[in-house]
Amino acid sequence: MNNCIKDINSKVPAFLLIICLGVVLIFFQTAEAKQKQTPRRIKAIMVGDRLVDIAFNLGVLPEAMSVRCSMWPMCKQLLNTSQMLGCPKCIVDRIPNIVPDTAKKRGIKRIIIEKHPNFCIYKPKVKPANIVPLLKGKGLSIEYVDFSDGLESAIRQTANLLGCQPKADALIKRYNKAMAKAKDCLPKEKPGKKVVIINGTYQGSTGKSFLRVEMPSGYSDRFMLDPTGCINVGDILKSETKKVDKGHFLIRKLNALAKAEPDIIVMTGDAFAVQKALASAVRKNPALANVPAIKDLAIYSLPFYGDSSVIEYPAVLRQWIAALSD
């Protein structure tokens, strides 16, 4: 290869090489720009984060949306592109007029709604379709994307509604390829490692850390721990007086880690808050240094997955596999 390059350099004038390099750079910059193109906005309101996630990956976003912003990581990045109306529970219970009022103000006639058999395992009664009775008689067209037949069907339905059918095959192919890679990374034997998942929030104004421990049977169990053969032992840290809210319970002291003896500690949310709390806990109780996860430095910051960013699931799964299978 080096000989080939030398031969070319000897025969081709320098200015031609510079021109060629310029063309190559323009090509790659154009390709990169295409990948980072701002999604096309359509005159519609979408209700449901899985639906909006698929639409975004098809290159489309609605003028306004109702999603679980705390569950869908893309939400905060897209607030300047699509108006956030509140979560599907809020737009029904707390601000029931916001969807019809926004539609009227923006001249929107289309409402596209996600139908999912298990929209939120934390709040089983919450469903995007609960907004429908509030929209009757408002002159709005209501359309649905049904997830009961799986993700591939939902992608095709979404593409049909958005008029970008050709992109559906490419997205499905990309997802399936990523999912196959993730599955190839799964351990051949289930290790049975014990895991504690701690979600952190750091309050900069006070310097305080707030911690929540994820209970078993939640999203992390279903989508991360079960496939990797790991066990959530977070419930061992829960006292009888602690209440579970959205699959988590608040915790102040981490001394119960000595009883749970996790092999791995996963930090979600603000990792610094968890790191700070762990460091403080070990200083106050040196015996915690013998907890396997702390002793082996098996403490990992990983993204929380709430079955919301469905297209990105394979990438998140691979990251968890890399940590849990270490």
Side-chain angles (χ1 to χ4, degrees), residues 118-310:
N118 297 297
F119 177 72
C120 183
I121 62 174
Y122 294 153
K123 303 285 185 180
K125 293 183 179 180
V126 174
K127 298 182 186 299
N130 291 347
I131 189 66
V132 173
L134 301 175
L135 305 178
K136 289 183 177 180
K138 305 290 184 179
L140 298 169
S141 169
I142 300 174
E143 301 162 293
Y144 297 94
V145 172
D146 191 346
F147 282 73
S148 59
D149 289 330
L151 183 61
E152 183 171 331
S153 171
I155 292 173
R156 294 196 185 282
Q157 291 174 58
T158 305
N160 286 335
L161 290 176
L162 302 181
C164 52
Q165 294 89 335
K167 292 185 177 182
D169 286 336
L171 181 56
I172 291 168
K173 183 178 179 180
R174 173 161 65 89
Y175 175 85
N176 288 337
K177 184 178 179 180
M179 197 68 233
K181 284 184 178 180
K183 288 181 178 179
D184 285 344
C185 296
L186 287 170
K188 304 303 178 184
E189 297 180 5
K190 304 300 183 183
K193 291 181 180 179
K194 295 187 291 183
V195 181
V196 167
I197 304 165
I198 307 175
N199 176 271
T201 301
Y202 179 72
Q203 193 176 74
S205 60
T206 63
K208 293 182 179 180
S209 295
F210 298 91
L211 309 181
R212 300 186 307 148
V213 175
E214 187 173 348
M215 286 286 285
S217 301
Y219 282 109
S220 293
D221 281 41
R222 293 189 184 193
F223 293 96
M224 303 298 165
L225 301 191
D226 289 351
T228 54
C230 294
I231 304 164
N232 186 346
V233 294
D235 55 327
I236 296 177
L237 280 70
K238 180 183 174 299
S239 66
E240 293 182 0
T241 57
K242 292 290 182 182
K243 293 183 178 180
V244 177
D245 180 49
K246 295 181 180 178
H248 295 71
F249 62 89
L250 289 169
I251 191 169
R252 294 183 63 186
K253 296 182 179 180
L254 297 172
N255 291 329
L257 284 171
K259 183 180 179 182
E261 293 189 324
D263 299 298
I264 297 171
I265 294 174
V266 171
M267 304 178 292
T268 61
D270 190 336
F272 172 69
V274 183
Q275 292 168 335
K276 189 172 184 293
L278 282 170
S280 177
V282 173
R283 283 196 300 269
K284 294 177 181 177
N285 183 4
L288 289 176
N290 294 319
V291 170
I294 298 175
K295 184 178 180 180
D296 298 335
L297 300 179
I299 305 170
Y300 303 106
S301 174
L302 295 171
F304 173 76
Y305 180 78
D307 193 26
S308 188
S309 48
V310 287

Side-chain angles (χ1 to χ4, degrees), residues 21-90:
L21 286 173
V23 171
V24 170
L25 287 173
I26 291 171
F27 171 80
F28 282 112
Q29 288 172 354
T30 302
E32 185 179 5
K34 285 182 178 179
Q35 291 178 350
K36 295 182 179 180
Q37 280 182 346
T38 302
R40 172 173 60 92
R41 282 211 313 174
I42 62 169
K43 262 203 167 334
I45 294 174
M46 292 185 185
V47 184
D49 21 85
R50 297 176 186 87
L51 165 63
V52 182
D53 190 71
I54 291 174
F56 171 75
N57 279 278
L58 288 170
V60 179
L61 277 177
E63 283 203 13
M65 61 183 176
S66 169
V67 299
R68 297 172 297 171
C69 212
S70 61
M71 306 285 278
W72 187 46
M74 289 299 299
C75 177
K76 294 178 181 178
Q77 299 178 40
L78 300 175
L79 290 179
N80 293 329
T81 307
S82 183
Q83 183 183 351
M84 174 61 177
L85 302 180
C87 71
K89 176 177 171 60
C90 296

